[in-house]
Amino acid sequence: LPGHSIHPPVLKAIPGPPAAEDAAVVERARAGDAEAREALVRLHMPAVFRVTLRILGDRDLAQDATQEAFVNALAGLARFRGDASFRTWLLRIAVNAARSMGRRSGRRREVSLVLAEHEPSRTPDPARQAEAVTEAERVELMLARLPTKQRLAVALRVQDGLSYAEIATALSCSEGAARVNYHLGVKRLREMLR
Amino acid sequence: MNAFDCESIRDQLPALMRGEMLPHEAASAELHLEGCAECRRDAEIIALLRRRVPRRRRVWSSASWLP
């Protein structure tokens, strides 16, 4: 990181996560439309898988937790009242599914498996690409070492674009706690990367 | 005028990088970043985290397990 200029790449807008789900699709899924249910799965599976992987650190367990989260969510669609977005409601279910699976499995997170999930940088210059990959891998490694609440708050805000209110819903905590965990996580990353 | 202090700029960095800030707010935030090494460091960390978002590959070929 030292000496690496942030201008202009850092300030370049990067496409965010998929657009907010179409409420009509949720309604159709709630009414039992199989295509709508599959559409919800396709749209939200990447975010759900990222969250479960962040918690469990194991691809196989994360896949199982992702599947469990969708099964639980779709079976409980009648309980979705629209107070939060469907994505936030689903992520809360995913967090609970992953935590439950982690307790059942008793397995520890493997940082290397978390790192294996990330694709290489698309920086065109090979030398800069190598440098960027190294820096990005260091940041990912450090992120994987943060306490769970901080790790999830940072990942959900930075990588999934959730607001503090949405993170609070997903993690079953207060909005203030979500904000504190996000800032503590970033501060800790900054300190570890000095 | 620079409307951002360190606390507020760090709150807004993810939105800035997603291009979700109004143009005049983004310009003000960038002005702050030019003069604040600590916030630039946070911006760099967040940019690296965004670059390393896990690939969105298909986990299953179909949701055949749906109830």
Side-chain angles (χ1 to χ4, degrees):
Chain A
L1 291 177
H4 181 72
S5 170
I6 68 161
H7 298 288
V10 159
L11 297 179
K12 182 181 176 184
I14 302 169
E21 74 284 344
D22 184 348
V25 177
V26 175
E27 277 309 307
R28 282 169 40 213
R30 201 205 303 254
D33 184 324
E35 284 187 9
R37 292 156 74 89
E38 288 221 24
L40 287 177
V41 173
R42 281 196 305 274
L43 178 62
H44 295 288
M45 186 181 288
V48 169
F49 183 68
R50 277 199 298 276
V51 164
T52 56
L53 185 62
R54 286 270 176 231
I55 293 172
L56 293 162
D58 179 289
R59 278 188 58 83
D60 291 337
L61 285 176
Q63 283 199 8
D64 289 347
T66 298
Q67 178 172 330
E68 188 172 303
F70 276 111
V71 168
N72 291 343
L74 293 173
L77 261 182
R79 293 194 302 275
F80 174 64
R81 299 184 305 172
D83 297 336
S85 72
F86 176 76
R87 180 176 66 155
T88 306
W89 182 77
L90 176 61
L91 287 176
R92 181 173 187 161
I93 292 173
V95 167
N96 290 337
R99 285 175 172 164
S100 172
M101 186 150 295
R103 284 193 296 271
R104 290 201 302 270
S105 70
R107 290 177 65 169
R108 296 177 61 82
R109 304 177 65 255
E110 296 291 341
V111 169
S112 60
L113 289 175
V114 174
L115 286 175
E117 285 306 307
H118 303 283
E119 61 187 342
S121 162
R122 298 188 189 283
T123 308
D125 179 340
R128 290 199 60 190
Q129 180 175 14
E131 179 187 9
V133 167
T134 300
E135 289 174 350
E137 284 179 347
R138 282 186 66 208
V139 174
E140 276 295 333
L141 184 62
M142 295 302 109
L143 177 66
R145 289 177 179 170
L146 292 180
T148 302
K149 288 180 181 176
Q150 293 176 21
R151 183 172 70 248
L152 289 175
V154 171
L156 289 172
R157 185 155 174 80
V158 174
Q159 297 179 329
D160 290 300
L162 267 60
S163 67
Y164 291 127
E166 290 173 321
I167 294 170
T169 299
L171 301 185
S172 304
C173 65
S174 71
E175 192 171 333
R179 186 172 187 275
V180 166
N181 276 307
Y182 169 77
H183 282 288
L184 283 176
V186 174
K187 178 171 181 278
R188 197 153 174 177
L189 286 176
R190 195 188 327 133
E191 291 168 351
M192 287 191 289
L193 291 163
R194 279 190 199 285
Chain B
M1 186 180 92
N2 189 351
F4 286 98
D5 56 19
C6 290
E7 184 177 348
S8 57
I9 186 72
R10 289 175 191 179
D11 246 0
Q12 295 297 321
L13 283 173
L16 175 66
M17 290 179 202
R18 286 194 300 274
E20 293 175 354
M21 293 180 75
L22 294 172
H24 71 280
E25 291 178 337
S28 184
E30 290 172 20
L31 184 64
H32 177 100
L33 287 174
E34 285 177 10
C36 180
E38 286 289 296
C39 286
R40 277 206 308 276
R41 194 170 186 80
D42 275 19
E44 183 171 88
I45 289 169
I46 289 169
L48 288 169
L49 284 171
R50 284 186 57 76
R51 192 184 307 173
R52 302 297 289 180
V53 168
R55 74 185 76 176
R56 289 180 178 157
R57 63 186 175 192
R58 190 173 295 177
V59 181
W60 295 278
S61 58
S62 73
S64 57
W65 38 265
L66 285 176

